[in-house]
Amino acid sequence: MTSPHRPQILVFPDLETLSRAAADRIVAAARNAVSAKGRFAVALSGGSTPRMLYALFAAPPYREALDWRTIHIFWVDERCVPPDRGESNFKLVDDAFLSPLGVPKTQVHRVKGEMEPEKAAGEYEKDLRAFFGRTGIPVFDLIILGAGEDGHTASLFPGGTAAHERTRLSVPVYLHSPNVNRVTLTLPVLNHAAEVLFLLSGRSKAPVVHEIVDEGNPKQYPAGLVRPVSGTVAWMIDHDAASLLTGQVFRRAG
Ligand code: 6PG
């Protein structure tokens, strides 16, 4: 199944304007979700690109723009390390705004990276089921994704088995040293989100952006397989990451 919605391509002059635009979209999505069902469920990625976005939530005007009592935070993926380690995606978000704002732990659904990966994936799936329901595929109101130069997204790597998972919600990803093992949401979950935002910055991402959103072969990259079945997907990229795009496939913003 493919999305009826073509990806929206939005190009920004730099990471700062991109981050502010992403924050505005998160605020809008949260308001819609809260007015429809009283809560907002978002899954966040690690990596360097969303750092500036996450920092925005700890300060005005974004801190006040959200009703933090209604927001449930999940993670797209996690490295299998304790939550106080520098590589932890939980720590990235916790340091940026969860701790500074005192977001209650009952609204924070982290992957237990300190556990063995298979067990951590199983526990995470249980948490997802407890929140979203025992059957069906969870529908996140919003998912923030990044993509690597190799076209991976979340911890779904080209050539890896996790990108082929069709039934589980969360799976372990065993990587060769020196990389740490990971736990990731699977494509069925990513593709049932109401809204997906890819955030990409920098010239090193330009070739993969060209391949996935322009004239290339998106399906050979896990990031190119993210096409929500009934939700929307937007690629929010900075000028450098957009530098190899050809044709009028994008609209400038910011
Ligand atoms: C992670 C991710 C991963 C990330 C990309 C892009 O935890 O590393 O979730 O999929 O989004 O690797 O990372 P950058 O933003 O650092 O380029």
Side-chain angles (χ1 to χ4, degrees), residues 44-50 76-79 87 89 144-150 152-157 182 199-201 205:
L44 301 175
S45 281
S48 56
T49 313
V76 162
D77 64 344
E78 182 57 279
R79 291 120 205 265
E87 303 97 314
N89 287 347
I144 299 289
L145 292 176
E149 292 162 31
D150 59 357
H152 81 261
T153 191
S155 290
L156 306 172
F157 292 93
R182 300 181 181 211
L199 311 183
L200 279 89
S201 163
K205 302 285 176 74

Side-chain angles (χ1 to χ4, degrees), residues 25-145:
R25 286 185 70 138
I26 292 172
V27 169
R31 286 184 179 159
N32 285 340
V34 170
S35 70
K37 54 194 168 189
R39 57 112 177 116
F40 175 62
V42 60
L44 301 175
S45 281
S48 56
T49 313
R51 272 178 192 276
M52 197 180 282
L53 166 67
Y54 299 157
L56 288 173
F57 288 115
Y62 295 103
R63 185 178 64 195
E64 286 73 24
L66 291 164
D67 178 355
W68 291 97
R69 295 164 306 177
T70 61
I71 297 178
H72 285 261
I73 314 278
F74 292 79
W75 276 260
V76 162
D77 64 344
E78 182 57 279
R79 291 120 205 265
C80 290
V81 293
D84 58 354
R85 284 266 298 272
E87 303 97 314
S88 164
N89 287 347
F90 163 77
K91 181 173 164 54
L92 172 71
V93 178
D94 191 47
D95 288 351
F97 66 87
L98 298 179
S99 279
L101 299 182
V103 176
K105 287 200 179 354
T106 49
Q107 295 165 228
V108 176
H109 306 263
R110 75 175 181 88
V111 181
K112 298 195 179 67
E114 63 275 28
M115 290 180 172
E116 192 282 321
E118 181 67 52
K119 190 159 192 312
E123 292 280 314
Y124 194 42
E125 184 146 336
K126 276 191 213 152
D127 196 4
L128 291 162
R129 287 274 172 230
F131 185 82
F132 288 101
R134 291 179 55 193
T135 56
I137 299 177
V139 176
F140 276 100
D141 299 303
L142 185 82
I143 296 184
I144 299 289
L145 292 176

Side-chain angles (χ1 to χ4, degrees), residues 151-198:
H152 81 261
T153 191
S155 290
L156 306 172
F157 292 93
T161 54
H164 301 291
E165 177 61 43
R166 294 290 174 266
T167 53
R168 293 175 67 181
L169 308 180
S170 165
V171 292
V173 179
Y174 295 93
L175 299 172
H176 295 298
S177 178
N179 295 309
V180 290
N181 295 326
R182 300 181 181 211
V183 169
T184 188
L185 291 179
T186 56
L187 271 178
V189 179
L190 304 184
N191 278 334
H192 276 76
E195 183 173 356
V196 172
L197 302 180
F198 276 97

